Amino acid sequence: MVGTDVSRDWLDIHCLPDGTRLRWPNNDDGHARIASLAAARHALVCFEATGGQEWRLWSNLDTAGIATRQLPPAQIKAFAASRGTRARTDRIDAELIARFMAFRPDAGRRLPHEKLRLLRALTSKRGQLIETRERLVMQIKAPAKLGVDDQFADMDANLKGLLDRQIAEIEAQIKQTIISDDEMFQTAGILRSVSATGPVTVAMLIAEMPEPEQITGEQAAALTGLAPIAHESGALRGKRAIAGGRRSLRHVMFQAALVASHHNPILKTFAQRLQTAGKPHKVIVTAVARKLVTIANALCKSRQKWASQPDREIQLLGLSGFWPIGLPPLKWSSAMFRKTEETDGKQATKAGRDCYEVTAG
């Protein structure tokens, strides 16, 4: 195991199991020396995500055929706290990275392929341009309040026009990148089959959540930052809230959820049920966004499009008209769905949560 702490100028290295410590410059020569070291030891090179400083090293090691893994900094920080390590230096960080990887060999992620990296860069740049345009629009309104907006009208119009053209160019590149890759193009077709998912949502899902074959629906929701985190201990039942996850994807999913709660037949029924139960608007939007993520993950995992397949059980759930082709039909599970309550000495059977289960039959 070769743990590497990557900074702008240096690469601090800690090798396990012998504990060898090295420090090389963060340039092509240093990358080649790490590749030679890892090849000689038949070792895995692991490092933290450090704001993009590690990408050139990652790409060079992948080209050299070295096994690599990128680790989330939050997990390394928690691992350090669990060991009682409070000191923070580059050498200590390199050792923590190596020991964490030895403790959890399945952690981290591998280098995405080149076109996926390009798509991620394009979607990130588009998001930056959108934010810049939004700020510009707000700034344009400020002189209008002072009655001097005519003085800057041409300048503001030119700036906004430039941003509009750049955003259109980026979106064309995103479209071409998806079309040029067979797997991404097929995934895009699957995702677009779901009502309320547009081109922006599809591009962000492909770029920011490329692991549908490896994770469950719950893990996909947590990865997006849409899974409520429990806060319970003993008799305490704290309020659950979402946290963490991939921020840029979560913001896009919120916008898609607003559309889905009005125009997707299934999710509209789901949102109306939550509204009837008295749930706040933000809770409803978050729940719909999570449903969208789990649906998208399930479809990509099964490589099936969302299509019409009416069924009695689906109609009972309010899901008539949409069910993935090829998935097993829903079966009624009365033991899971119904519960008996006793009030004032009388028993009444009430419907509980929607507990239909997918069975092979």
Side-chain angles (χ1 to χ4, degrees):
M1 201 71 67
V2 178
T4 307
D5 182 76
V6 183
S7 62
R8 185 187 63 183
D9 300 319
W10 296 100
L11 302 171
D12 288 270
I13 299 162
H14 186 94
C15 302
L16 292 178
D18 57 358
T20 301
R21 296 178 184 271
L22 300 165
R23 194 179 213 210
W24 290 328
N26 187 7
N27 53 31
D28 291 339
D29 179 62
H31 301 169
R33 293 167 75 176
I34 289 185
S36 300
L37 174 69
R41 291 172 171 261
H42 303 286
L44 170 72
V45 179
C46 48
F47 40 80
E48 284 182 311
T50 55
Q53 299 286 352
E54 78 284 0
W55 279 94
R56 192 155 54 94
L57 169 65
W58 200 358
S59 179
N60 289 341
L61 291 176
D62 186 73
T63 302
I66 304 301
T68 55
R69 208 71 63 83
Q70 184 196 54
L71 303 172
Q75 294 185 7
I76 305 299
K77 184 177 180 181
F79 180 69
S82 71
R83 288 168 53 89
T85 303
R86 295 187 176 184
R88 183 77 185 271
T89 67
D90 292 341
R91 292 181 63 184
I92 292 174
D93 286 350
E95 181 180 356
L96 286 171
I97 291 169
R99 294 194 180 281
F100 175 80
M101 197 69 226
F103 175 69
R104 279 197 57 195
D106 60 330
R109 63 171 182 166
R110 295 171 177 81
L111 181 69
H113 62 79
E114 184 178 358
K115 287 190 176 179
L116 186 58
R117 299 201 302 270
L118 173 60
L119 179 63
R120 185 170 295 168
L122 290 171
T123 54
S124 177
K125 176 57 68 176
R126 181 190 176 278
Q128 294 169 9
L129 291 174
I130 291 292
E131 289 181 5
T132 303
R133 186 174 63 180
E134 290 175 353
R135 286 196 297 269
L136 176 63
V137 171
M138 297 302 297
Q139 291 166 5
I140 290 174
K141 295 179 180 179
K145 297 177 181 178
L146 301 176
V148 294
D149 51 318
D150 293 340
Q151 183 176 352
F152 307 104
D154 293 341
M155 184 185 300
D156 292 336
N158 291 336
L159 284 174
K160 188 174 182 299
L162 174 62
L163 289 172
D164 289 339
R165 290 191 299 272
Q166 289 180 338
I167 291 171
E169 291 173 5
I170 289 287
E171 289 176 345
Q173 293 181 47
I174 290 173
K175 181 179 178 180
Q176 185 58 40
T177 302
I178 293 175
I179 292 174
S180 62
D181 185 88
D182 292 339
E183 184 178 354
M184 287 197 295
F185 182 69
Q186 183 183 7
T187 302
I190 292 171
L191 294 173
R192 283 304 301 271
S193 67
V194 182
S195 177
T197 55
V200 176
T201 304
V202 168
M204 289 299 297
L205 282 168
I206 295 174
E208 297 294 335
M209 199 176 68
E211 311 96 337
E213 297 85 3
Q214 307 167 12
I215 58 177
T216 64
E218 291 79 6
Q219 291 171 331
L223 192 67
T224 318
L226 293 170
I229 299 174
H231 181 59
E232 300 177 356
S233 179
L236 172 66
R237 293 295 180 268
K239 187 176 181 180
R240 298 189 177 196
I242 61 172
R246 297 175 181 174
R247 176 177 173 271
S248 58
L249 177 58
R250 182 169 62 254
H251 287 185
V252 171
M253 295 311 300
F254 281 144
Q255 297 298 320
L258 288 172
V259 177
S261 61
H262 292 86
H263 300 287
N264 186 305
I266 301 172
L267 297 177
K268 182 178 180 180
T269 303
F270 175 66
Q272 289 174 344
R273 189 171 72 237
L274 293 178
Q275 188 176 15
T276 304
K279 300 296 182 182
H281 176 69
K282 287 185 177 180
V283 172
I284 296 173
V285 173
T286 302
V288 173
R290 180 177 179 177
K291 286 283 187 183
L292 268 177
V293 169
T294 53
I295 289 171
N297 183 74
L299 293 175
C300 291
K301 201 169 186 178
S302 62
R303 309 308 293 176
Q304 301 291 336
K305 289 187 177 182
W306 198 251
S308 176
Q309 184 178 327
D311 187 86
R312 176 181 174 274
E313 289 81 8
I314 297 176
Q315 290 173 355
L316 288 173
L317 257 182
L319 307 182
S320 177
F322 288 86
W323 189 250
I325 293 175
L327 292 188
L330 291 173
K331 283 292 184 179
W332 174 260
S333 178
S334 57
M336 296 171 62
F337 184 70
R338 294 188 177 276
K339 61 182 179 180
T340 301
E341 294 183 354
E342 184 172 338
T343 306
D344 297 331
K346 297 181 179 179
Q347 289 188 346
T349 302
K350 295 184 178 180
R353 297 179 60 189
D354 294 343
C355 292
Y356 283 87
E357 58 182 353
V358 177
T359 67

